[in-house]
Amino acid sequence: MKLAYWMYAGPAHIGTLRIASSFKNVHAIMHAPLGDDYFNVMRSMLERERDFTPVTASIVDRNVLARGSQEKVVDNIVRKDKEEQPDLIVLTPTCTSSILQEDLANFVQRASLDSASDVLLADVNHYRVNELQAADRTLQQIVQFYIAKARKQGTLPEGKTEKPSVNIIGMTTLGFHNNHDCRELRTLMAQLGIEVNLVMPEGALVTQIKDMGRAWFNLVPYREVGPLTAEYLKEELGMPYVDITPMGIVETARCIRAIQTVLNEQGAEVNYDAFIDEQTRFVSQAAWFSRSIDCQNLTGKKAVVFGDSTHAAAMVKILAREMGIHVVLAGTYCKYDAEWFAAEVGEYCDEILVSEDNGEIGDRIAQLEPAAIFGTQMERHVGKRLDIPCGVIAAPIHIQNFPVGYRPFMGYEGANQIVDLVYNSFTLGMEDHLLEFFGGHDTKEILTKTMSADAAVEAGLGWSADGLAELQKIPGFVRGKVKRNTEKFAREQGVASITAEVLYAAKEAVGA
């Protein structure tokens, strides 16, 4: 077993809770021990919403274990049914409580007898899937439940809306700029003359799910949440879907053309070529920027991209195709989606890295020494240690990635925002000159080419125990720079083992 000190995607129950708390009037019961109930705190801090997060923890402790969990879980479900009167209550265990191997399906069946709400057990394998996979599966399960219920009751509407319409699937709480992307996609659909039938699951009622079939097609902008639901609706209701992420000028145009094809196959007779041309040549600042002298200054500069499948793949294409930036490494932590990711980015980058180990990613960045990084908040921390600028393009994210202002990543306005992010992530022109002039640059002569302190052996150097101990006392934000300068000093002096005395001598030599 390997100790995980950083996780790019959380455990399965977090994904289930994200879906449940994205809907309106849905409550989640989390069957978990103390310590697993941090979702409410995390969501309330990051989303900064006025309402309480609709998640209740049914705590598993020694008293519960002694007499069994069923009575407490059922009581909590019935109590929340009476207090909140939700349309749906979702029960989910966590990885820890799953070890108990309890018959939670029976708990749900018992609670349903005394509850006016629908009660559903999140059907995910907590040992085999992560947060993103669980979110995708939970959304599909809820949609399937209510489509089947409507069909059984004879309330499933027939026929399509009079005008072309779309369901936008995959917008969730705690998603990376999801609320901004949703607003931009609504605007884009309106410009194309397409009505938005429903946005799922963020802000939707489960009672509206039966109406999803009235839309002409489904739009799935994210790989992480939505594909399973779109596939189910295609098989069950014959609904086509478009799953091209509209990020950047080229992919936005490709997405619009795919929508045009889907609508015309249903007799709409639309042509969006003029709209795409106008947006690309006269409206979007991103297209103009790609031809400007500022963008030419970025040509050939090296960048590393890492994130979830959706944003990392889209960013690689934007950097390589639209801005002429050399992507030396493209990576994702979505190991289950490795084949799709490799097919999407293979021709636009030098190397592909699929890994959940942020130490491996940090070492590779140190070895490649890119001019900029585009990744998650973890890569941003790596960049700070290496003095390499980083633009955050994907979750996991920090409170600063929930901006109050309008910052979409999708559509034509999203393309403009990405241009700003990319350009501001490089050190260019007068800024570079001033840094050199005032001595602000580190030499970046990284001899060991890794993030770990004990890996200097790769360069023929070794750190003694007292040298390593002294290095660890140095604050983390300057430790990398001190390490590099010390190793450079040791090589110049012909020293093979870096002791505490060598570290002190190196500090004196540079006037530190």
Side-chain angles (χ1 to χ4, degrees):
M1 181 178 288
K2 184 177 180 181
L3 179 65
Y5 62 95
W6 179 270
M7 296 179 68
Y8 283 100
H13 74 274
I14 296 297
T16 293
L17 296 178
R18 280 179 58 186
I19 297 300
S21 54
S22 293
F23 281 105
K24 289 181 180 178
N25 206 33
V26 171
H27 201 90
I29 302 290
M30 177 173 42
H31 182 48
L34 284 171
D36 283 356
D37 57 344
Y38 57 88
F39 179 80
N40 285 359
V41 176
M42 179 175 68
R43 182 174 181 271
S44 62
M45 286 193 305
L46 293 178
E47 288 286 7
R48 296 178 286 192
E49 293 186 352
R50 299 178 183 181
D51 299 328
F52 287 108
T53 299
V55 175
T56 298
S58 181
I59 299 298
V60 179
D61 56 24
R62 61 182 181 179
N63 295 321
V64 171
L65 291 175
R67 66 176 183 267
S69 303
Q70 178 167 324
E71 181 182 349
K72 184 172 184 178
V73 172
V74 172
D75 287 347
N76 281 328
I77 292 175
V78 174
R79 177 171 59 86
K80 281 299 168 182
D81 171 62
K82 293 178 179 178
E83 291 176 356
E84 307 290 341
Q85 298 180 339
D87 296 317
L88 172 67
I89 295 177
V90 178
L91 173 64
T92 179
T94 65
C95 304
T96 314
S97 61
S98 294
I99 297 173
L100 301 176
Q101 296 290 307
E102 295 174 297
D103 188 2
L104 297 182
N106 185 46
F107 293 8
V108 166
Q109 188 176 3
R110 277 280 312 277
S112 298
L113 299 175
D114 299 319
S115 173
S117 310
D118 292 319
V119 185
L120 191 64
L121 172 64
D123 181 22
V124 297
N125 189 322
H126 290 263
Y127 300 120
R128 293 183 178 273
V129 302
N130 64 21
E131 170 189 346
L132 303 177
Q133 293 167 289
D136 198 17
R137 167 61 183 145
T138 301
L139 179 59
Q140 184 261 327
Q141 184 187 1
I142 292 174
V143 170
Q144 182 176 346
F145 177 85
Y146 280 98
I147 293 294
K149 181 179 178 180
R151 176 167 279 139
K152 184 178 180 180
Q153 295 176 342
T155 57
L156 195 65
E158 295 183 1
K160 303 294 182 181
T161 56
E162 182 179 346
K163 296 181 179 179
S165 60
V166 61
N167 297 317
I168 302 175
I169 302 175
M171 301 295 173
T172 71
T173 186
L174 295 179
F176 181 74
H177 290 241
N178 274 197
N179 54 337
H180 306 284
D181 286 346
C182 183
R183 176 177 160 189
E184 181 64 19
L185 291 178
R186 281 182 176 275
T187 300
L188 180 61
M189 292 302 108
Q191 291 172 327
L192 297 175
I194 300 171
E195 296 177 347
V196 175
N197 184 58
L198 193 62
V199 174
M200 288 282 293
E202 181 68 12
L205 292 165
V206 292
T207 54
Q208 296 175 303
I209 290 175
K210 68 179 187 299
D211 297 321
M212 292 187 74
R214 300 202 68 219
W216 289 40
F217 72 103
N218 294 313
L219 177 61
V220 187
Y222 306 114
R223 288 283 301 175
E224 291 70 36
V225 182
L228 287 180
T229 300
E231 276 293 335
Y232 166 77
L233 291 171
K234 181 179 180 181
E235 293 175 7
E236 189 70 17
L237 303 179
M239 298 184 68
Y241 65 88
V242 174
D243 59 355
I244 299 170
T245 302
M247 273 183 65
I249 294 296
V250 176
E251 290 298 286
T252 298
R254 193 163 76 92
C255 178
I256 293 172
R257 289 192 175 99
I259 292 172
Q260 174 181 297
T261 299
V262 166
L263 294 181
N264 286 341
E265 287 175 350
Q266 300 177 70
E269 298 183 2
V270 296
N271 188 320
Y272 296 132
D273 289 344
F275 173 79
I276 293 171
D277 181 67
E278 182 184 10
Q279 289 289 328
T280 302
R281 293 202 298 152
F282 305 113
V283 178
S284 171
Q285 294 297 308
W288 165 83
F289 179 84
S290 66
R291 300 188 300 273
S292 70
I293 188 65
D294 288 327
C295 191
Q296 291 176 28
N297 288 332
L298 300 177
T299 302
K301 285 191 174 289
K302 296 195 299 183
V304 167
V305 180
F306 190 86
D308 60 24
S309 294
T310 297
H311 292 90
M315 200 68 190
V316 168
K317 294 176 185 177
I318 292 170
L319 294 176
R321 291 193 304 198
E322 300 180 23
M323 306 184 79
I325 293 169
H326 182 192
V327 181
V328 292
L329 174 70
T332 181
Y333 54 80
C334 296
K335 296 175 70 174
Y336 62 91
D337 212 16
E339 185 176 347
W340 177 89
F341 184 79
E344 288 292 305
V345 305
E347 62 180 299
Y348 303 112
C349 64
D350 295 347
E351 179 185 345
I352 296 172
L353 176 61
V354 180
S355 175
E356 296 174 341
D357 183 352
N358 66 286
E360 178 184 5
I361 297 151
D363 282 347
R364 199 70 193 99
I365 291 173
Q367 292 161 6
L368 292 169
E369 296 184 72
I373 307 166
F374 298 94
T376 73
Q377 275 291 341
M378 196 58 201
E379 283 65 57
R380 179 172 169 268
H381 296 318
V382 169
K384 281 185 174 293
R385 292 176 64 186
L386 295 172
D387 196 24
I388 301 174
C390 178
V392 178
I393 59 147
I397 43 186
H398 188 268
I399 185 68
Q400 69 186 46
N401 303 120
F402 289 84
V404 176
Y406 186 45
R407 292 289 303 277
F409 270 58
M410 293 190 177
Y412 289 106
E413 178 56 31
N416 294 339
Q417 297 291 340
I418 291 171
V419 162
D420 285 339
L421 176 69
V422 172
Y423 190 71
N424 294 332
S425 294
F426 285 94
T427 303
L428 300 165
M430 184 59 70
E431 180 186 8
D432 194 65
H433 170 73
L434 290 174
L435 284 169
E436 293 287 356
F437 185 81
F438 289 107
H441 269 307
D442 185 10
T443 63
K444 297 282 182 68
E445 190 174 351
I446 305 173
L447 300 178
T448 60
K449 300 287 186 179
T450 66
M451 291 288 288
S452 48
D454 60 350
V457 289
E458 294 181 7
L461 299 170
W463 283 79
S464 67
D466 64 325
L468 281 175
E470 200 64 31
L471 182 65
Q472 293 302 318
K473 295 178 183 178
I474 298 172
F477 65 92
V478 295
R479 190 181 300 142
K481 181 176 181 179
V482 172
K483 174 176 174 284
R484 294 193 294 271
N485 288 341
T486 303
E487 290 169 2
K488 181 181 177 183
F489 173 82
R491 175 167 283 185
E492 291 173 348
Q493 299 299 316
V495 176
S497 179
I498 302 176
T499 63
E501 292 184 2
V502 174
L503 180 60
Y504 299 147
K507 291 174 68 176
E508 291 178 3
V510 297

